[in-house]
Coordinates of all heavy atoms in Angstrom, one line a residue:
G1 N 62.5 28.4 -5.7 CA 62.7 29.8 -5.4 C 62.7 30.1 -3.9 O 62.5 29.3 -3.0
W2 N 62.8 31.4 -3.7 CA 62.7 32.0 -2.3 C 61.8 33.2 -2.3 O 61.8 34.0 -3.2 CB 64.1 32.4 -1.9 CG 65.1 31.3 -1.7 CD1 66.0 30.8 -2.6 CD2 65.3 30.6 -0.5 NE1 66.7 29.8 -2.1 CE2 66.3 29.6 -0.8 CE3 64.7 30.6 0.8 CZ2 66.8 28.7 0.2 CZ3 65.2 29.7 1.7 CH2 66.2 28.8 1.4
Y3 N 61.0 33.3 -1.3 CA 60.1 34.4 -1.0 C 60.3 34.9 0.4 O 60.8 34.1 1.2 CB 58.6 34.0 -1.2 CG 58.3 33.6 -2.7 CD1 58.7 32.4 -3.2 CD2 57.6 34.6 -3.5 CE1 58.4 32.1 -4.5 CE2 57.3 34.2 -4.8 CZ 57.7 33.0 -5.3 OH 57.4 32.7 -6.6
R4 N 60.0 36.1 0.7 CA 60.2 36.6 2.0 C 59.0 37.5 2.4 O 58.3 38.0 1.6 CB 61.5 37.4 2.1 CG 61.4 38.7 1.4 CD 62.8 39.4 1.4 NE 62.8 40.7 0.8 CZ 63.9 41.4 0.6 NH1 65.1 41.0 0.9 NH2 63.8 42.6 0.0
Q5 N 58.8 37.6 3.7 CA 57.7 38.3 4.3 C 58.2 39.1 5.5 O 58.6 38.4 6.5 CB 56.5 37.5 4.6 CG 55.3 38.2 5.0 CD 54.0 37.4 5.1 OE1 54.1 36.1 5.2 NE2 52.9 38.0 5.0
A6 N 58.1 40.4 5.5 CA 58.5 41.2 6.7 C 57.2 41.5 7.5 O 56.1 41.4 6.9 CB 59.1 42.5 6.2
P7 N 57.4 41.8 8.7 CA 56.2 42.1 9.6 C 55.3 43.2 9.0 O 55.8 44.3 8.6 CB 56.8 42.6 10.9 CG 58.2 41.9 10.9 CD 58.6 41.9 9.5
G8 N 54.0 42.9 8.9 CA 53.1 43.9 8.4 C 53.1 44.0 6.9 O 52.4 44.9 6.4
K9 N 53.8 43.2 6.2 CA 53.9 43.3 4.7 C 53.5 42.0 4.1 O 53.5 41.0 4.7 CB 55.3 43.8 4.3 CG 55.8 45.1 4.8 CD 57.2 45.5 4.3 CE 57.6 46.8 4.8 NZ 58.9 47.2 4.3
E10 N 53.2 42.1 2.8 CA 52.9 40.9 2.0 C 54.1 40.1 1.6 O 55.2 40.7 1.5 CB 52.1 41.3 0.8 CG 50.7 41.9 1.0 CD 50.0 42.2 -0.2 OE1 50.5 42.2 -1.3 OE2 48.8 42.5 -0.1
R11 N 53.9 38.9 1.4 CA 55.0 38.0 0.9 C 55.4 38.5 -0.5 O 54.6 38.7 -1.3 CB 54.6 36.6 0.9 CG 55.7 35.6 0.6 CD 55.3 34.2 0.8 NE 54.9 33.9 2.2 CZ 54.6 32.7 2.7 NH1 54.6 31.6 1.9 NH2 54.2 32.5 3.9
E12 N 56.7 38.6 -0.7 CA 57.2 39.0 -2.0 C 58.3 38.1 -2.6 O 58.9 37.3 -1.9 CB 57.8 40.4 -1.8 CG 59.1 40.5 -1.0 CD 59.7 41.9 -1.0 OE1 59.3 42.7 -1.8 OE2 60.6 42.1 -0.2
L13 N 58.4 38.2 -3.9 CA 59.4 37.4 -4.6 C 60.8 37.9 -4.2 O 61.1 39.1 -4.3 CB 59.2 37.5 -6.1 CG 60.3 37.0 -7.0 CD1 60.4 35.5 -6.9 CD2 60.1 37.5 -8.4
V14 N 61.7 36.9 -3.9 CA 63.1 37.2 -3.8 C 63.8 36.8 -5.1 O 64.4 37.5 -5.8 CB 63.7 36.5 -2.6 CG1 65.2 36.8 -2.5 CG2 63.0 37.0 -1.3
A15 N 63.7 35.5 -5.4 CA 64.3 34.9 -6.6 C 63.7 33.6 -6.9 O 63.3 32.8 -6.0 CB 65.8 34.8 -6.4
T16 N 63.7 33.2 -8.2 CA 63.3 31.9 -8.6 C 64.3 31.4 -9.7 O 65.0 32.2 -10.3 CB 61.9 31.8 -9.2 OG1 61.8 32.7 -10.4 CG2 60.9 32.3 -8.2
I17 N 64.4 30.1 -9.8 CA 65.3 29.5 -10.8 C 64.6 28.3 -11.4 O 64.1 27.4 -10.7 CB 66.6 29.1 -10.2 CG1 67.6 28.6 -11.3 CG2 66.5 28.2 -9.0 CD1 69.0 28.5 -10.8
G18 N 64.6 28.2 -12.7 CA 63.9 27.2 -13.5 C 64.8 25.9 -13.5 O 66.0 25.9 -13.1
R19 N 64.2 24.9 -14.1 CA 64.9 23.6 -14.2 C 66.3 23.7 -14.9 O 67.2 23.0 -14.5 CB 64.0 22.6 -14.9 CG 64.5 21.2 -14.9 CD 63.6 20.3 -15.7 NE 64.0 18.9 -15.8 CZ 63.4 18.0 -16.5 NH1 62.3 18.2 -17.1 NH2 64.0 16.7 -16.5
F20 N 66.3 24.5 -15.9 CA 67.6 24.6 -16.7 C 68.3 25.9 -16.5 O 69.2 26.3 -17.3 CB 67.2 24.4 -18.2 CG 66.6 23.1 -18.5 CD1 65.3 23.0 -18.8 CD2 67.4 22.0 -18.4 CE1 64.7 21.8 -19.0 CE2 66.8 20.7 -18.7 CZ 65.4 20.6 -19.0
G21 N 68.0 26.6 -15.4 CA 68.9 27.7 -14.9 C 68.3 29.1 -15.2 O 69.0 30.1 -14.8
T22 N 67.2 29.3 -15.8 CA 66.6 30.6 -15.9 C 66.2 31.2 -14.6 O 65.5 30.6 -13.8 CB 65.3 30.5 -16.8 OG1 65.7 30.0 -18.1 CG2 64.8 31.9 -17.0
T23 N 66.7 32.4 -14.4 CA 66.4 33.1 -13.1 C 65.6 34.3 -13.2 O 65.5 35.0 -14.2 CB 67.8 33.5 -12.4 OG1 68.5 34.4 -13.3 CG2 68.6 32.2 -12.1
D24 N 65.0 34.6 -12.0 CA 64.1 35.8 -11.9 C 64.3 36.4 -10.5 O 64.3 35.6 -9.5 CB 62.7 35.5 -12.2 CG 61.8 36.7 -12.2 OD1 62.3 37.8 -12.6 OD2 60.6 36.6 -11.9
Y25 N 64.6 37.7 -10.4 CA 64.9 38.3 -9.1 C 63.9 39.5 -8.9 O 63.5 40.2 -9.8 CB 66.3 38.9 -9.1 CG 67.4 37.9 -9.1 CD1 67.9 37.4 -10.3 CD2 67.8 37.3 -7.9 CE1 68.9 36.5 -10.4 CE2 68.8 36.3 -8.0 CZ 69.4 35.9 -9.2 OH 70.4 35.0 -9.2
G26 N 63.6 39.7 -7.6 CA 62.9 40.8 -7.2 C 63.7 42.1 -7.4 O 65.0 42.0 -7.2
D27 N 63.1 43.2 -7.7 CA 63.9 44.4 -8.0 C 64.8 44.9 -6.8 O 65.9 45.4 -7.0 CB 62.9 45.6 -8.3 CG 62.2 45.4 -9.7 OD1 62.7 44.6 -10.5 OD2 61.2 46.0 -9.9
S28 N 64.3 44.6 -5.6 CA 65.1 45.1 -4.5 C 66.3 44.3 -4.2 O 67.2 44.8 -3.4 CB 64.2 45.1 -3.2 OG 63.8 43.8 -2.9
V29 N 66.5 43.2 -4.8 CA 67.7 42.3 -4.5 C 68.6 42.1 -5.7 O 69.6 41.5 -5.6 CB 67.2 40.9 -3.9 CG1 66.3 41.1 -2.8 CG2 66.6 40.1 -5.0
K30 N 68.2 42.6 -6.8 CA 69.0 42.5 -8.0 C 70.4 43.1 -7.9 O 70.6 44.2 -7.3 CB 68.3 43.2 -9.2 CG 67.1 42.4 -9.7 CD 66.5 43.1 -10.9 CE 65.3 42.4 -11.4 NZ 64.6 43.1 -12.6
G31 N 71.4 42.3 -8.2 CA 72.8 42.8 -8.1 C 73.4 42.4 -6.8 O 74.6 42.5 -6.6
R32 N 72.6 42.0 -5.8 CA 73.1 41.7 -4.5 C 72.9 40.2 -4.1 O 73.8 39.6 -3.5 CB 72.4 42.5 -3.4 CG 72.6 44.0 -3.6 CD 72.0 44.8 -2.4 NE 70.6 44.6 -2.2 CZ 70.0 44.1 -1.2 NH1 70.7 43.6 -0.1 NH2 68.7 44.0 -1.1
F33 N 71.8 39.6 -4.6 CA 71.5 38.2 -4.3 C 71.7 37.3 -5.5 O 71.6 37.8 -6.6 CB 70.1 38.0 -3.8 CG 69.8 38.6 -2.5 CD1 70.7 39.4 -1.8 CD2 68.5 38.4 -1.9 CE1 70.4 40.0 -0.5 CE2 68.2 39.0 -0.6 CZ 69.2 39.8 0.0
A34 N 72.0 36.1 -5.3 CA 72.2 35.1 -6.4 C 71.6 33.8 -6.0 O 71.9 33.2 -5.0 CB 73.7 35.0 -6.8
I35 N 70.7 33.3 -6.9 CA 70.1 32.0 -6.6 C 70.7 30.9 -7.5 O 71.2 31.2 -8.6 CB 68.6 32.1 -6.9 CG1 67.9 30.8 -6.4 CG2 68.3 32.3 -8.4 CD1 66.3 30.9 -6.5
S36 N 70.8 29.7 -7.0 CA 71.4 28.6 -7.7 C 70.7 27.3 -7.3 O 70.0 27.3 -6.3 CB 72.9 28.5 -7.5 OG 73.2 28.3 -6.2
R37 N 70.9 26.3 -8.1 CA 70.3 25.0 -7.7 C 71.2 23.8 -8.1 O 72.0 23.9 -8.9 CB 68.9 24.8 -8.4 CG 69.0 24.8 -9.9 CD 67.5 24.8 -10.5 NE 66.9 23.5 -10.4 CZ 65.6 23.4 -10.7 NH1 64.8 24.4 -11.1 NH2 65.0 22.1 -10.6
D38 N 71.0 22.7 -7.4 CA 71.7 21.5 -7.6 C 70.6 20.4 -7.9 O 70.0 19.9 -6.9 CB 72.5 21.1 -6.5 CG 73.4 19.9 -6.7 OD1 73.0 19.1 -7.6 OD2 74.5 19.8 -6.1
N39 N 70.4 20.1 -9.1 CA 69.3 19.2 -9.5 C 69.5 17.8 -8.9 O 68.6 17.1 -8.5 CB 69.1 19.1 -11.0 CG 68.6 20.4 -11.6 OD1 67.8 21.1 -10.9 ND2 68.9 20.6 -12.8
A40 N 70.8 17.3 -8.8 CA 71.1 16.0 -8.3 C 70.7 15.9 -6.8 O 70.4 14.8 -6.3 CB 72.6 15.7 -8.5

C-alpha cells in the first residue's frame, strides 16, 4: 500500500491492496486514485 504525510499532519492511509486484489482507499482519494500490484 501507500501512505502519505503532509507537513504538521499525521501519516494517513492512501490505499492498500491485498494479495488477491482487495483494495481499500482513504476517503479523500476515492474516485481519483487507483492502486494496483504485480505479484510477479
Side-chain angles (χ1 to χ4, degrees):
W2 295 91
Y3 294 77
R4 69 186 184 187
Q5 187 169 21
K9 298 182 179 180
E10 295 183 349
R11 187 172 300 187
E12 65 174 350
L13 166 72
V14 178
T16 62
I17 182 167
R19 184 181 179 186
F20 301 106
T22 300
T23 58
D24 187 26
Y25 293 93
D27 290 338
S28 63
V29 306
K30 289 181 179 178
R32 298 189 297 119
F33 292 5
I35 190 170
S36 61
R37 64 188 283 173
D38 186 335
N39 291 331

